[in-house]
Each structure stands twice: as structure tokens, then as C-alpha cells.
Amino acid sequence: MIRLDKLTAQAANMTRSQAVAAIKKGRVTVDGSICRVPDQKVGEQAELLLDGQPVTYEKYVYLMMDKPAGYLSATEDTRDPSVTELLPEALQKRSLGIVGRLDKDTTGLLLLTDNGELNHRLTSPRYHMDKVYLATLDVPADGRDVDDFENGMDLGDFTAMPGRLEIDPEDGRNCRVTIREGKFHQVKRMFRACGKTVVALRRISIGGVSLDDTLGAGGWRRLTENEKTFLLANCGLKE
Ligand code: URA
């Protein structure tokens, strides 16, 4: 059971106070009857209408975003802009967790969800979920770097699990990197250990879900049913 104002806010993408106002005005119908009591407990499967239109409760929200440079992958208030500010107010209220933070200057795929178990399984090295990045380097990479990535690197405070480095044959400064963990500055540190500097970094895939290139910097959308089902199954979960 869930409070009607919470269910209405989540289902209709409203803030809690907007939902309370709508309920008090008699705009919300639960299983065929108007309910004007915001803290009334109702079943999550209740048939909910707002202004006569059906609205559906989402237990969890799953979003992808093309993170722009200059934004923090943080949910807390900071002086820098945070990616959550790019979402509408109702979604900001859902306390979405960011799956695998990106550095301020890194762009590309961010997944945001309030499904904490999915977030854990996508980020924990134990579950071996691939994260794929496009990196541009200051100088070309070579076969020794490919071997170093494949062998797992000692980075001082930890040893990186084996990763895959693919070098663009046209321009050796452009690389595709696949790793299964996500320690702080990991890709930059792995290249640094090979004597190279990453000048641009973009994540293009997590757990087999690829960035939608049509979003553009700062754009976001809900995962499609196929993406959501695939991601959950890949992590051994069902909704
Ligand atoms: N590795 C990095 O170095 N930075 C990121 O933002 C992500 C992975």
C-alpha cells in the first residue's frame, strides 16, 4: 500500500504538493471513486485517473542521459551544475541514483534509476558489466598499451581488472576502451600508466545498453521497454 499523494505524484510526474492540491480539488479517481484524502493508503495496482485520464504508477524509473561536459554526476547541492538539474522537477524529486559517475569533463552515457539493486549490480565489479568509452589521447596508443590493458594494470592503490583497448587504425589517438569496473578516474589513470594523457572521454555503453546518439548533450529519455528488460535480465533481475 502507498499514500495516494505519493502514488499520484509518481504516476503523474507531479511534485507531492501538486498531487495534494489535485487530490483535494477532487481531480483524482481511485478505482472509480473520487478520493479527496491525500494520505489515504491505496494499492500500487489501483486504477488511477487524473482529470479522467488514466495515469500509471512506475515502481522504478530508468533514464538515460547524454551528460554534457561541465556538469557533475552528483545528486547533492554543489556550486557546479549537477546533471539532475537537467531533469524536470518531478523526476528530481524521485531521488534517482546515478549509475557509475563520470568526471566533470567526461561526456556521454549516464543511467539514472531508483532501482538500487540494479545500480549496485551495474557498478559492482563482481557482476562484470561492461562499460565502453571512447577516448582521445594526446599521442597514439600502440600494441604494448593493448597488452597492458589486457593484462590488468597495477595503478598503485589497486590493480585494474583486465580491460580491452581497441585502437582506431586511421588515427591511433582515438581508442575504444572496455572495462568492467569504474574506479575514480580509472580510464584516465590506465592511460596515464601507459604514458598517455586522455584529452577527451565519452562513455557510450553500460551493461549492453548504448547511448542514444539522437539525445544530444544534456538530452535524456526513459529507457525503452526493451532496454529496461535487457538490462535487468543482464544483471539477473526482474522488475
Ligand atoms: N574513467 C575516467 O577516468 N573518468 C570517467 O569519467 C570515467 C571513467
Side-chain angles (χ1 to χ4, degrees):
M1 301 289 268
I2 180 169
R3 284 173 58 121
L4 180 59
D5 53 358
K6 185 168 184 201
L7 184 69
T8 306
Q10 293 190 350
N13 268 335
M14 292 171 140
T15 62
R16 188 74 80 91
S17 53
Q18 287 169 333
V20 167
I23 294 163
K24 286 186 173 164
K25 279 191 189 147
R27 293 171 56 202
V28 176
T29 307
V30 183
D31 291 332
S33 311
I34 290 177
C35 179
R36 294 175 190 269
V37 185
D39 63 359
Q40 172 77 45
K41 289 278 175 41
V42 297
E44 290 176 10
Q45 304 307 324
E47 192 201 21
L48 203 67
L49 304 183
L50 173 68
D51 299 329
Q53 297 300 315
V55 283
T56 319
Y57 169 66
E58 282 177 296
K59 185 168 181 200
Y60 295 121
V61 167
Y62 303 90
L63 308 178
M64 72 158 72
M65 179 186 282
D66 187 342
K67 177 191 170 296
Y71 279 73
L72 294 182
S73 309
T75 43
E76 317 85 57
D77 286 338
T78 59
R79 269 186 297 149
D80 288 303
S82 152
V83 290
T84 52
E85 291 168 29
L86 297 166
L87 298 174
E89 197 184 346
L91 283 172
Q92 292 185 28
K93 293 269 184 317
R94 278 201 71 140
S95 316
L96 299 173
I98 296 171
V99 180
R101 293 172 175 220
L102 294 175
D103 297 335
K104 188 173 162 187
D105 59 349
T106 302
T107 64
L109 179 62
L110 272 186
L111 296 178
L112 298 104
T113 183
D114 44 7
N115 183 336
E117 186 56 28
L118 179 71
N119 191 339
H120 169 67
R121 292 190 185 203
L122 285 169
T123 44
S124 165
R126 276 185 51 205
Y127 290 92
H128 292 219
M129 289 295 140
D130 283 350
K131 286 102 194 162
V132 185
Y133 295 86
L134 300 179
T136 306
L137 309 176
D138 58 340
V139 292
D142 58 34
R144 269 171 313 182
D145 304 326
V146 174
D147 293 342
D148 285 349
F149 270 67
E150 213 167 85
N151 292 332
M153 276 179 216
D154 180 1
L155 295 176
D157 53 336
F158 79 105
T159 302
M161 287 165 65
R164 190 165 65 245
L165 172 60
E166 296 159 273
I167 306 170
D168 181 347
E170 303 279 308
D171 180 348
R173 294 182 320 122
N174 294 326
C175 303
R176 184 184 166 101
V177 177
T178 307
I179 55 173
R180 298 185 150 179
E181 54 197 341
K183 298 265 176 18
F184 191 54
H185 294 330
Q186 179 158 343
V187 173
K188 291 173 186 167
R189 290 180 64 192
M190 289 173 85
F191 278 113
R192 197 69 238 143
C194 302
K196 275 116 196 148
T197 300
V198 173
V199 294
L201 189 61
R202 180 165 176 79
R203 185 159 62 197
I204 56 166
S205 161
I206 301 175
V209 168
S210 298
L211 177 64
D212 179 343
D213 272 334
T214 64
L215 290 176
W220 65 275
R221 67 161 169 79
R222 286 166 197 274
L223 293 193
T224 62
E225 276 305 307
N226 278 349
E227 287 166 341
K228 189 172 83 179
T229 310
F230 173 82
L231 202 57
L232 287 165
N234 206 9
C235 293
L237 293 171
K238 284 194 219 133
E239 190 163 46

